[in-house]
Amino acid sequence: MLTKELLSEYIDAGAAKIKADLAIMGGTLINVNTGEYYLADVAIYKGRIVAVDQDISDYLDDHTQIVDAKGKYLAPGLIDCHIHVECSKMSMTRFAQAVVPHGTTSIVTGFDEYISVVGVDGLKEIFEEVDHSPLKVFWGLPYKTPYTIPKSTIAYDVTSQDHEKYQNSPRCWGVWETVREAVQTKDPTTMAALVLARNNHQAIFGCSPMAHGKEINEFLMSGVRVDHESYDHKEFMEKARKGVHVVIRESAVTKFLKENIKAITEGAAGIARHTSFCSDDVNARGILAHGHLDHMVRLAIAAGVSPMTAIQMATINGAEACKIDDYVGSIAPGKDADILLVDQPGKFNVESVISKGKLVTLNGKNKFDYQVPERSEALMHTVKHPLMKADDFKYHVAIQNGSAQVETINSIGPFVRKRRDVTLNVANGVVEPSTEKDVALVSVVERYGINGNHAQGFISGWNFQKGAIATTAAPDDNNLVVAGVNYDDMALAANTLIERGGGQVVVIDGQVVAYLALPVAGIASDLTPEELAQKEQELEQSAQQIGSKLPDPIFYLSFLPITAIPDLAITDGGNVDYTKLRYFDPILSLKEK
C-alpha cells in the first residue's frame, strides 16, 4: 500500500538520493512505448523502477544487487488480460509457480469461481495468498453472480450492494466479465454495476461472442471497453473498428490466435496497437509443455507479426486496455519492476524474471520460495450434500415400459453444444441411456447445502461405453456434475467427491480408477504444477477408457453448466436453452408399449 512516506522515498530514489536495491545492467531495452531497441540499464527501489538510462552509476552503491543482462533483451512483464485462474485447478501459489517463470507477472481476473463458493468476503484469504506470491492480480468484481441464465444455485450472489461496497476498494480495478445478454435484458444488478463503474471511471470488461452489427452497438452503449470473445477474425475486426480493445484468446481448448490474428495480418495493421492477449482457461500440462503468454508471443511472431508488435500485445496494449498502465506494461520510471530477460525478441525465450522488484528466476533457475499457506476450514470444507444412491441418477417417467423421445445436449466442440433428438427405451419407469445411440445420463447436483436441487438430462457426442465421471470444478457455479451410463458408477463417483471434499473422478465397473483431489473450495489443488499435470494425464487416460472420443472428457464435463456456451447447457436448476434464455424439458414425448 502506497503511503505519503513511501511516495517521498520513491521521489528521492528517482533523484538518486536513495540508492537502488536492485539494478539490471548491460541489457538491450525493448521499449514498447516507442517501438525502439537500445542499450539501457534499469535501477529499482522497493519494487519500483526509478531509472532507465544508459548510465545509472549515480543510483548504485555497495548494497545494490546487480543482475548482469549483457547479451539479453529487457521486456516488460507479460499481462494476461482475462483468466479464470481457478479453472487451471491450481491454487494461486501454484499458478504463480507455473506461469511467472514464463514471464507472466500480471493477470486480470474476477475470482468468480472462488466467489461462487466462498463469497466476496472470502476472497480476503485468496488476496493474502496473492500478496505473498510473485504474481500481481488486477481484480474486477463480476458484474453479478451467478452468470447463468436462468439463475443457478451458488453459495453467494454478487449484488449491486456489493458493487457499491467494493468498487472503491484498492483491490478493485473494474467490472469483470460483463456478458452481452445481461446488457441486452437490462438486468437490474448489471445496470447498477455499470452505472457505478462509469461514474467511478473504472474499466468494464466485456464478453460478447459471435456478436455483430446492432448487437455490438447495443453492447458498447454499456461502456464496455475490452472484449475477449471473438470466434473469427471478421468479428474481431468489427469490434476493433468500433473502438473495442480486442483480446485474442488462446486457452487450453479454444485456440483462436491463428484465426483472430488474420484481422491484423490480412485486415488492418493498425488493429495491432489495440490488441492484447489472454489465456482464459489453461491447465498445468499445457503450461509445462508450451509456456503461457510467452507462447502466444511466439505464435503471433510465427503468424507474421513483428516481434515488437507481438511484445506490445502482451504488455503495454493490455495494460492500457485494462487501465492498469500507470503500474505495469512498460519498463519506465514509476512503473512496477516487472522485467524479463529474454534471449532475443524474435525467439522470445524467457530466461530470467524480476517480478514485484524481486528476482524470481535467474537463467532458468528458481530463486523464489513458493510456500502454500495454511487454509481455513471455510475454504477447505465446501461440499455439503448427503451421500447418494444409484436410484438418484435414474430418469423416472410416468410410463412403465415403452419409449421416450429425448432432447440431448450434443457436444460437437468444447464451446459448441447443439440439440440432438434421440428415441430411448423406457423400462420399469426409467428412461435408459444407450451406448449404441451415444446417449449418456448427466446430473448437476447443488453442493452447497442450500436447496438440494438435482437436475437430470441426457448428453450425446461422448461415446460412453461404460462407467461414470464427475467433477466439483464446474464453472460458473461449481456444483457437482456427474455423467455416465451406469447408475452404480455414477453414485460412486458422486459419493467419492462428497466424502473427500471435492475433485474430479473416473469410475469404471465399481472401481475408482482415477481421482484428483481439489480440496481448496472444491475447485483447486496445492499440488505442484508437475504433480497436477501428472494427475490430469491420469484422469484423461482413464476417462477415455469409458470410450469417449472427446479430447478431454473431464474438461467438457466441467463446462456443461456454462449457459452462455451456444446453445444448450445444464445447471442444478434444469436443462437450459440459451437461445431462448429458459429451461427446457428433455423429455419430448413418451410412448407406452
Side-chain angles (χ1 to χ4, degrees):
M1 181 71 68
L2 185 65
T3 62
K4 289 187 290 184
E5 292 75 18
L6 182 56
L7 178 59
S8 178
E9 286 184 40
Y10 282 141
I11 292 170
D12 286 344
K17 296 175 183 177
I18 299 176
K19 302 306 178 184
D21 46 45
L22 181 66
I24 307 171
M25 308 292 289
T28 299
L29 179 69
I30 303 173
N31 192 321
V32 294
N33 290 308
T34 61
E36 297 176 276
Y37 303 97
Y38 53 86
L39 290 173
D41 299 333
V42 182
I44 298 164
Y45 176 74
K46 288 190 176 180
R48 288 274 176 91
I49 298 167
V50 296
V52 184
D53 293 295
Q54 292 184 344
D55 180 7
I56 62 168
S57 56
D58 288 345
Y59 292 83
L60 312 180
D61 65 11
D62 294 340
H63 299 95
T64 306
Q65 180 184 0
I66 303 297
V67 175
D68 184 4
K70 289 185 179 67
K72 308 301 179 185
Y73 286 79
L74 309 183
L78 310 183
I79 304 165
D80 191 327
C81 289
H82 184 98
I83 183 169
H84 302 262
V85 181
E86 306 95 314
C87 292
S88 74
K89 294 175 286 195
M90 288 180 271
S91 65
M92 289 307 304
T93 300
R94 296 310 187 193
F95 181 77
Q97 189 173 359
V99 303
V100 173
H102 288 284
T104 302
T105 56
S106 295
I107 63 170
V108 181
T109 190
F111 285 144
D112 37 5
E113 311 307 333
Y114 279 123
I115 289 172
S116 71
V117 182
V118 298
V120 184
D121 286 343
L123 294 183
K124 180 181 178 182
E125 190 171 338
I126 306 302
F127 282 127
E128 288 175 352
E129 182 178 2
V130 169
D131 290 342
H132 288 90
S133 84
L135 182 69
K136 283 191 182 69
V137 169
F138 294 92
W139 174 66
L141 177 61
Y143 70 98
K144 67 177 293 185
T145 60
Y147 298 150
T148 46
I149 303 176
K151 178 183 174 182
S152 61
T153 306
I154 60 176
Y156 187 88
D157 295 349
V158 170
T159 66
S160 56
Q161 287 75 27
D162 287 312
H163 281 276
E164 291 175 0
K165 177 179 178 180
Y166 291 104
Q167 276 198 32
N168 290 321
S169 164
R171 294 282 192 187
C172 189
W173 295 83
V175 178
W176 169 261
E177 192 82 82
T178 309
V179 300
R180 186 170 61 84
E181 291 79 10
V183 173
Q184 178 186 4
T185 58
K186 299 178 183 176
D187 169 75
T189 297
T190 306
M191 297 291 280
L194 297 177
V195 168
L196 274 170
R198 295 284 276 177
N199 290 339
N200 291 336
H201 310 294
Q202 288 208 319
I204 300 173
F205 311 112
C207 174
S208 58
M210 295 182 284
H212 297 279
K214 291 179 182 177
E215 295 170 334
I216 294 178
N217 298 341
E218 174 188 53
F219 188 50
L220 294 185
M221 296 310 296
S222 68
V224 163
R225 63 184 279 114
V226 187
D227 187 280
H228 70 286
E229 289 269 11
S230 296
Y231 277 51
D232 61 47
H233 74 279
K234 292 181 180 177
E235 177 187 352
F236 190 91
M237 196 166 184
E238 181 179 355
K239 289 174 180 174
R241 283 172 167 169
K242 291 182 174 178
V244 177
H245 290 270
V246 277
V247 184
I248 293 178
R249 176 172 68 187
E250 185 81 0
S251 77
V253 176
T254 49
K255 302 183 183 300
F256 287 160
L257 188 145
K258 183 178 180 181
E259 168 60 26
N260 284 175
I261 208 79
K262 293 177 184 177
I264 298 166
T265 58
E266 300 176 12
I271 291 174
R273 191 60 181 86
H274 304 285
T275 297
S276 51
F277 292 143
C278 81
S279 61
D280 206 354
D281 305 300
V282 292
N283 56 41
R285 282 176 297 161
I287 294 168
L288 292 172
H290 307 293
H292 191 224
L293 291 190
D294 57 328
H295 177 54
M296 296 189 71
V297 171
R298 292 189 290 269
L299 288 176
I301 292 169
V305 174
S306 75
M308 176 62 77
T309 298
I311 295 166
Q312 287 172 326
M313 289 178 181
T315 57
I316 189 64
N317 292 8
E320 292 177 353
C322 299
K323 292 189 175 182
I324 57 177
D325 54 307
D326 285 352
Y327 296 87
V328 295
S330 62
I331 299 173
K335 302 293 179 71
D336 292 349
D338 301 337
I339 300 169
L340 316 179
L341 276 62
V342 302
D343 54 353
Q344 54 182 276
K347 293 183 178 180
F348 207 78
N349 294 306
V350 178
E351 298 179 354
S352 301
V353 178
I354 294 161
S355 186
K356 296 183 178 178
K358 304 293 185 182
L359 195 58
V360 180
T361 61
L362 180 63
N363 299 322
K365 295 182 179 180
N366 179 55
K367 297 293 181 180
F368 190 87
D369 184 17
Y370 293 93
Q371 290 290 329
V372 173
E374 289 189 20
R375 306 290 184 188
S376 70
E377 290 290 311
L379 195 61
M380 296 295 283
H381 297 95
T382 62
V383 181
K384 303 170 185 176
H385 196 281
L387 295 180
M388 304 185 74
K389 306 182 297 294
D391 189 64
D392 294 331
F393 296 97
K394 295 178 180 179
Y395 203 112
H396 294 272
V397 290
I399 64 172
Q400 276 298 106
N401 297 289
S403 62
Q405 187 179 31
V406 304
E407 179 178 339
T408 74
I409 301 171
N410 185 34
S411 291
I412 58 177
F415 286 89
V416 180
R417 297 190 290 256
K418 299 293 183 180
R419 173 175 176 170
R420 175 175 172 246
D421 296 350
V422 182
T423 300
L424 298 176
N425 185 54
V426 177
N428 300 314
V430 174
V431 181
E432 297 181 327
S434 172
T435 57
E436 294 81 9
K437 296 181 179 180
D438 182 21
V439 178
L441 297 161
V442 64
S443 283
V444 179
V445 181
E446 182 271 308
R447 58 107 159 171
Y448 303 109
I450 295 174
N451 54 33
N453 280 357
H454 178 183
Q456 296 175 284
F458 304 91
I459 55 174
S460 56
W462 294 63
N463 301 109
F464 270 84
Q465 299 300 307
K466 55 187 175 180
I469 58 178
T471 181
T472 54
D476 292 308
D477 47 28
N478 293 296
N479 281 308
L480 172 59
V481 188
V482 188
V485 291
N486 181 287
Y487 307 122
D488 291 315
D489 286 351
M490 292 178 76
L492 178 56
N495 290 337
T496 298
L497 301 188
I498 291 169
E499 290 180 315
R500 301 187 191 184
Q504 298 181 324
V505 66
V506 179
V507 175
I508 299 175
D509 298 331
Q511 298 293 320
V512 174
V513 296
Y515 170 68
L516 167 63
L518 298 174
V520 183
I523 58 178
S525 167
D526 282 323
L527 293 174
T528 67
E530 291 78 12
E531 291 169 335
L532 181 58
Q534 179 61 39
K535 283 290 187 181
E536 288 176 340
Q537 187 70 27
E538 292 172 8
L539 273 173
E540 184 174 321
Q541 291 172 348
S542 298
Q544 289 173 348
Q545 290 178 31
I546 64 177
S548 179
K549 294 181 174 61
L550 297 178
D552 189 342
I554 297 287
F555 183 90
Y556 277 64
L557 181 73
S558 68
F559 274 51
L560 274 177
I562 300 179
T563 58
I565 294 177
D567 295 332
L568 308 177
I570 181 169
T571 71
D572 72 295
N575 293 261
V576 177
D577 183 338
Y578 200 62
T579 65
K580 300 175 182 176
L581 301 180
R582 68 187 186 194
Y583 295 121
F584 69 90
D585 186 345
I587 304 297
L588 299 172
S589 64
L590 296 170
K591 185 177 182 181
E592 194 152 19
K593 185 180 291 184

